[in-house]
Structures are given as C-alpha cells and as structure tokens.
C-alpha cells in the first residue's frame, strides 16, 4: 500500500513566515506516525517505510520509541534525496534546498509547477562558526539570514534530463529496498 504524503514538516526559523510554509512540531509528527502505525498494526501490517522528502524531518528517535510498543513491527526510513549520492549527477556542490537537484527532479516530474523565470541564484551565507560549517555540530539555519531567496544551490543549473537520470537511479535503489523489505526477514537468525 502506498499511503498519501504528509505535506508538513519541521522548518527552520525564518521559514514559517514564508507563504505556504506550514511548520509542524516534532510532537505533532510523532503523534501522526504513532496513529499510522497503530492503524496499520490493527490491520495486520508489520512493515512500514517512511520515504521522506524533507531534510528537516528526522524519524529515528520516533522509530526507536515505537519499537518498544510494537516490537514485531519494522519501521524503516529513507530520505529520497540521499538514496543515491547526487554529486555525479549535478554541477552544484553546495546544493541542499530548492537548488539544482530538487529543481531538476521537479522539472522531470512536474515541470508545470516550476517557474524558472522566478528562480534566484540560490546563494547562501554560511555560519560564522567554522565548526558548524564543517558539520562538527548542527544548528538550525535562520532562513532569512542564511539565504537570499530561500534556496541553497543554484536552480538555474537544473534540467529535466538531469532530474530523469537522478530520480531513475533513486527509484531503482528504492525498488530493491521495497522488494527486500517485503520478502526478507530482518535478521538471518530465526527467533
């Protein structure tokens, strides 16, 4: 079964103020996930893959908590944009929000939703703290201070052809994952 997407997620400061950015708290996301798992469990399902399209949504802690309540229910999570490393598909190396890779995927799947004439340059400001830029630690970016046009990465480099090559390889890897999740036990040893 493919369930409908949940079109909300956690945003950085400075994003919620933008039109149509709906921020949901971690507790809200957890409640939604708990309700979904409880419903599927009653229906006899024991496996769920969360395919996330938003880097701000992290489900690992929620999944660990649910593993105690539903020890025989396998929940896995994958970020579609991280399934295949994008470096060999795209020119932009700092791309991580509404830049070349995401825009290429959208140009492939839904070009009518992309207004390239409105695209900015995707310029962003790094933190002033070098260790945060080096990913020694993480902190949320304040979106209106970190970006000039909400993008991080140049969407003007995007093409539908790049998107097609990339998402086809992502879909190929996800297809293998779906098959493995639906046919293989979690561990080799029987319990």
């Amino acid at each position: 079964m493919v369930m409908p997407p949940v079109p909300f997620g956690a945003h950085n400061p400075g994003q919620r103020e933008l039109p149509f950015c709906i921020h949901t708290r971690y507790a809200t996301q957890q409640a939604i996930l708990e309700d979904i798992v409880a419903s599927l469990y009653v229906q006899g399902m024991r496996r769920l893959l969360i395919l996330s399209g938003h880097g701000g949504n992290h489900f690992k802690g929620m999944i660990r908590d649910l593993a105690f309540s539903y020890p025989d229910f396998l929940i896995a999570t994958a970020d579609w944009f991280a399934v295949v490393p994008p470096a060999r598909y795209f020119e932009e190396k700092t791309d991580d929000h509404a830049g070349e890779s995401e825009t290429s995927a959208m140009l492939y799947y839904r070009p009518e939703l992309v207004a390239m004439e409105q695209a900015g340059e995707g310029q962003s400001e790094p933190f002033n703290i070098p260790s945060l830029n080096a990913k020694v630690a993480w902190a949320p970016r304040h979106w209106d201070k970190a970006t000039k046009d909400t993008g991080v990465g140049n969407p003007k480099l995007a093409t539908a052809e790049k998107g097609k090559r990339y998402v086809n390889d992502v879909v190929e890897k996800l297809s293998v994952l779906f098959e493995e999740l639906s046919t293989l036990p979690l561990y080799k040893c029987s319990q």
Side-chain angles (χ1 to χ4, degrees):
M1 171 190 344
V2 176
M3 296 187 301
V6 177
F8 308 111
H11 293 297
N12 289 321
Q15 284 180 306
R16 185 171 62 172
E17 297 80 8
L18 298 171
F20 307 108
C21 281
I22 307 297
H23 171 76
T24 55
R25 298 169 192 257
Y26 181 88
T28 303
Q29 294 174 5
Q30 185 169 3
I32 291 169
L33 181 59
E34 287 173 358
D35 288 348
I36 289 170
V37 170
S39 296
L40 294 176
Y41 193 86
V42 168
Q43 297 169 29
M45 294 183 199
R46 296 296 183 266
R47 295 191 178 203
L48 172 66
L49 173 65
I50 301 167
L51 185 59
S52 180
H54 189 273
N57 294 336
H58 299 284
F59 296 96
K60 289 180 183 179
M62 297 176 209
I63 293 169
R64 285 187 180 110
D65 288 346
L66 285 166
F68 287 102
S69 300
Y70 301 93
D72 61 335
F73 196 113
L74 170 61
I75 306 170
T77 184
D79 293 326
W80 79 266
F81 51 85
V83 169
V84 174
R88 67 183 186 139
Y89 298 85
F90 304 106
E91 299 169 52
E92 182 68 53
K93 301 307 177 209
T94 60
D95 183 35
D96 86 359
H97 187 270
E100 181 185 10
S101 62
E102 288 180 351
T103 304
S104 291
M106 286 300 295
L107 285 169
Y108 173 57
Y109 278 125
R110 299 293 303 270
E112 72 277 8
L113 298 178
V114 180
M116 289 301 286
E117 68 280 359
Q118 294 178 20
E121 299 290 330
Q123 296 173 346
S124 63
E125 292 293 326
F127 289 109
N128 192 45
I129 299 170
S131 292
L132 290 176
N133 295 323
K135 302 191 185 295
V136 174
W138 177 88
R141 295 176 282 193
H142 201 291
W143 218 242
D144 58 354
K145 292 182 174 103
T147 70
K148 296 185 188 312
D149 55 20
T150 77
V152 179
N154 190 350
K156 293 181 180 183
L157 299 172
T159 68
E161 182 55 38
K162 289 177 187 176
K164 178 180 179 178
R165 286 187 316 110
Y166 183 63
V167 298
N168 283 344
D169 287 352
V170 169
V171 167
E172 183 66 34
K173 277 202 144 179
L174 287 172
S175 298
V176 172
L177 173 62
F178 284 126
E179 183 177 346
E180 291 172 351
L181 284 174
S182 64
T183 61
L184 298 175
L186 185 56
Y187 298 103
K188 289 183 181 186
C189 63
S190 59
Q191 299 174 348

